[in-house]
């Protein structure tokens, strides 16, 4: 049992949106960074750093480790006020976008309702979903089987790990805490991250908006088969003028296994084809993505090398079989769409120069999760670790941060202790 008193420290739920940060915060972050990226382990550091080298990639060129098809445990929605609701109200249904005339993905940019990115949500939604399962089921054997795993994290963290061998320039940072036999991992969101997002150029913000706009143009709120032709036409007209609200989201919480590691994860689901079935709904889920038109061999190669890698990893991890990609021009006009089958994506890049291999991604993730298990060992929600990838050394390093404000919710810890 885990004592509910472990969650007594107050969690920091928001990140200040300021250009100036306190000297205390800066100095603390500087100390952590210096510890993590010190060239000599133990040289003036308060805590040891352990290292996991990415290279050589050849050591991961093995047969793929076991990977279990993701099985959905529960789903939930974020409403227009960014409140997590344990229902399917935000589940959307796929219906191809109308391309005659081709729509602008930048239309309505000024009217969009933006999610507040100064608020750090940690893994609250994922924990709320697991809490919901426990509150709805009194069978302890089912609870242990459904809600306990070696790792609990959002899909985004697992995707970062998967693609690291081929995304060597992309730094990342995560926080981890161990309670019982489970390691919980969250994104390490700093005030600098938030300031960079809020201060990005208008062009970049339009690119981000275009992705949301594309999703809006690809979905309706009712299964198409249940609509009359007149009602369907009305839905299609309505979605063309719909104001984008980035607070809205539908999430699937699922359980899978990679090698010897059981994982509970959560992922945003863009839409589903047809009515949601009672088992393995992920087989009908669909990812929606946008990219710039591939107008050169270099653009095509970059798309296959980087974009398709992330598309594959995201969809593979969540068991989503289809990725629909919208291709836009420089003005944001949607010029075409193409479906990619997740299982076929690796074959598209096989044997091409400077491309990626799925078995390398999977074996790398398997080995790194084992490494994390071996070094994130001190238990308690206030005991935290930093896991970071440094592009300069091309190493993942783990540092104990000691006692910190817990990122696990008091409600979740209370239910776990019951």
């Amino acid at each position: 049992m885990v004592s509910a008193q472990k969650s007594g420290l107050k969690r920091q739920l928001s990140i200040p949106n300021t250009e100036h940060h306190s000297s205390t915060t800066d100095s603390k972050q500087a100390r952590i960074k210096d510890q993590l990226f010190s060239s000599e382990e133990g040289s003036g550091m308060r805590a040891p750093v352990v290292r996991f080298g990415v290279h050589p990639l050849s050591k991961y060129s093995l047969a793929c480790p076991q990977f279990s098809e993701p099985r959905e445990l529960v789903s939930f929605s974020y409403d227009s006020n960014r409140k997590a609701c344990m229902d399917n109200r935000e589940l959307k249904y796929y219906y191809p976008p109308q391309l005659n005339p081709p729509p602008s993905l930048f239309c309505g940019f000024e009217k969009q309702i933006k999610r507040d990115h100064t608020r750090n949500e940690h893994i609250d939604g994922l924990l709320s979903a697991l809490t919901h399962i426990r509150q709805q089921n009194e069978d302890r054997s089912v609870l242990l089987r459904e809600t306990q795993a070696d790792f609990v994290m959002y899909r985004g963290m697992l995707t970062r790990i998967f693609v690291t061998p081929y995304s060597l320039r992309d730094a990342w940072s995560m926080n981890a805490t161990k309670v019982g036999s489970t390691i919980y991992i969250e994104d390490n969101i700093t005030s600098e991250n938030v300031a960079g997002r809020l201060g990005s150029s208008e062009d970049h913000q339009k690119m981000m908006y275009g992705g949301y706009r594309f999703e809006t143009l690809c979905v309706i709120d009712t299964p198409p088969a249940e609509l009359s032709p007149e009602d369907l036409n009305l839905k299609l007209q309505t979605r063309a003028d719909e104001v984008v609200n980035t607070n809205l989201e539908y999430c699937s919480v699922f359980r899978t296994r990679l090698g010897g590691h059981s994982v509970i994860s959560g992922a945003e689901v863009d839409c589903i084809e047809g009515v949601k079935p009672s088992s393995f709904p992920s087989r009908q889920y669909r990812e929606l993505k946008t990219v710039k038109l591939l107008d050169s061999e270099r653009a095509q190669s970059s798309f296959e090398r980087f974009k398709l890698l992330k598309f594959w990893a995201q969809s593979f991890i969540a068991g989503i079989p289809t990725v629909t990609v919208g291709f836009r021009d420089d003005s944001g006009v949607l010029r075409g769409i193409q479906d990619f089958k997740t299982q076929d994506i690796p074959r598209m890049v096989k044997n091409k120069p400077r491309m990626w291999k799925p078995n390398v991604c999977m074996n790398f993730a398997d080995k790194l999760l084992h490494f994390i298990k071996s070094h994130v060992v001190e238990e308690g929600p206030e005991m935290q670790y930093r896991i970071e990838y440094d592009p300069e050394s091309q190493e993942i390093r783990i540092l104990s941060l000691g006692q910190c404000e817990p990122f696990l919710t008091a409600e979740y810890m209370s239910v776990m202790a019951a």
Side-chain angles (χ1 to χ4, degrees):
M1 293 296 181
V2 180
S3 171
Q5 294 177 349
K6 291 285 189 179
S7 59
L9 288 179
K10 184 179 179 181
R11 299 166 69 245
Q12 182 179 347
L13 292 178
S14 62
I15 300 175
N17 179 22
T18 61
E19 296 182 0
H20 305 285
H21 308 290
S22 69
S23 58
T24 301
T25 301
D26 287 344
S27 60
K28 180 179 179 181
Q29 291 175 344
R31 288 199 305 273
I32 293 173
K33 183 175 181 180
D34 287 344
Q35 290 172 343
L36 276 170
F37 299 122
S38 172
S39 60
E40 295 294 334
E41 184 172 339
S43 176
M45 296 187 295
R46 298 182 181 180
V49 173
V50 291
R51 297 169 168 80
F52 182 92
V54 174
H55 297 289
L57 296 187
S58 58
K59 63 184 175 182
Y60 308 113
S61 293
L62 310 169
C64 292
Q66 175 193 358
F67 185 81
S68 300
E69 180 179 6
R71 178 172 57 85
E72 184 171 280
L73 303 176
V74 69
S75 55
F76 68 95
S77 303
Y78 282 110
D79 68 11
S80 58
N81 296 312
R82 200 60 186 175
K83 177 184 177 183
C85 307
M86 296 299 132
D87 56 39
N88 294 333
R89 70 182 67 183
E90 292 306 326
L91 176 61
K92 304 300 182 186
Y93 301 87
Y94 180 70
Y95 195 87
Q98 297 169 295
L99 298 177
N100 187 20
S104 169
L105 298 183
F106 297 164
C107 180
F109 173 73
E110 297 79 8
K111 297 179 181 179
Q112 67 175 305
I113 301 171
K114 295 183 180 181
R115 172 182 161 190
D116 181 7
H117 286 285
T118 66
R119 181 176 180 270
N120 189 345
E121 295 179 347
H122 299 280
I123 56 172
D124 293 2
L126 188 51
L127 297 180
S128 293
L130 295 178
T131 298
H132 177 74
I133 294 174
R134 285 181 169 265
Q135 291 173 335
Q136 297 297 311
N137 198 321
E138 296 181 355
D139 187 332
R140 183 162 181 78
S141 63
V142 173
L143 290 176
L144 291 174
R145 184 172 67 250
E146 297 289 280
T147 63
Q148 288 194 356
D150 297 326
F151 294 92
V152 172
M153 70 183 94
Y154 274 119
R155 174 183 60 173
M157 303 303 98
L158 201 50
T159 300
R160 285 183 186 176
I161 292 172
F162 261 61
V163 305
T164 294
Y166 299 102
S167 303
L168 297 173
R169 297 180 181 179
D170 298 336
W172 51 256
S173 179
M174 307 175 189
N175 301 318
T177 191
K178 183 176 183 181
V179 177
S181 60
T182 300
I183 296 172
Y184 300 82
I185 296 178
E186 68 157 4
D187 193 6
N188 177 36
I189 301 175
T190 67
S191 50
E192 286 81 3
N193 298 148
V194 176
R197 181 169 188 137
L198 296 178
S200 61
S201 68
E202 182 174 300
D203 285 346
H204 181 264
Q205 291 184 37
K206 282 186 175 180
M207 297 301 113
M208 298 291 291
Y209 169 81
Y212 289 108
R213 169 76 171 157
F214 178 66
E215 293 174 12
T216 301
L217 295 174
C218 288
V219 302
I220 54 178
D221 60 8
T222 306
E226 297 181 2
L227 296 171
S228 67
E230 294 78 13
D231 288 340
L232 177 58
N233 284 332
L234 181 59
K235 294 284 187 185
L236 298 181
Q237 292 172 16
T238 300
R239 75 179 184 181
D241 299 320
E242 187 173 339
V243 174
V244 170
N245 185 338
T246 61
N247 288 294
L248 301 174
E249 189 175 325
Y250 183 70
C251 296
S252 171
V253 178
F254 57 90
R255 183 183 185 92
T256 187
R257 174 174 288 274
L258 174 65
H261 317 291
S262 55
V263 181
I264 291 176
S265 189
E268 179 181 1
V269 173
D270 295 327
C271 59
I272 190 170
E273 291 192 73
V275 177
K276 182 177 179 177
S278 58
S279 62
F280 291 100
S282 60
R283 294 174 182 175
Q284 292 175 216
Y285 289 155
R286 181 182 287 252
E287 290 276 355
L288 302 173
K289 302 291 185 181
T290 57
V291 298
K292 185 181 174 183
L293 281 170
L294 306 179
D295 54 5
S296 67
E297 289 186 8
R298 181 176 181 180
Q300 178 70 34
S301 177
S302 179
F303 172 74
E304 294 177 349
R305 185 180 177 191
F306 300 111
K307 292 291 187 180
L308 282 185
L309 168 61
K310 291 184 179 180
F311 295 170
W312 168 79
Q314 288 178 328
S315 301
F316 176 79
I317 289 168
I320 298 175
T322 307
V323 184
T324 296
V325 178
F327 293 91
R328 57 162 180 81
D329 62 21
D330 290 334
S331 300
V333 176
L334 182 63
R335 295 300 180 182
I337 62 171
Q338 183 177 348
D339 288 345
F340 295 85
K341 295 299 180 183
T342 303
Q343 66 179 8
D344 294 338
I345 291 176
R347 287 195 286 270
M348 293 176 60
V349 302
K350 187 176 181 180
N351 297 326
K352 291 187 177 182
R354 302 176 67 196
M355 289 296 168
W356 49 274
K357 297 179 180 179
N359 61 315
V360 170
C361 298
M362 296 175 69
N363 281 302
F364 175 83
D366 180 30
K367 300 297 184 185
L368 180 55
L369 291 180
H370 179 77
F371 183 76
I372 293 171
K373 271 185 184 177
S374 300
H375 296 286
V376 176
V377 293
E378 293 188 69
E379 294 186 34
E382 294 142 2
M383 178 61 65
Q384 290 184 26
Y385 293 79
R386 179 67 44 76
I387 307 171
E388 294 196 352
Y389 168 68
D390 173 30
E392 292 187 9
S393 63
Q394 298 187 355
E395 293 177 328
I396 290 95
R397 307 180 185 184
I398 301 177
L399 169 73
S400 173
L401 302 180
Q403 298 283 312
C404 300
E405 293 178 353
F407 61 83
L408 303 185
T409 64
E411 178 188 35
Y412 178 74
M413 292 306 301
S414 177
V415 170
M416 286 283 289

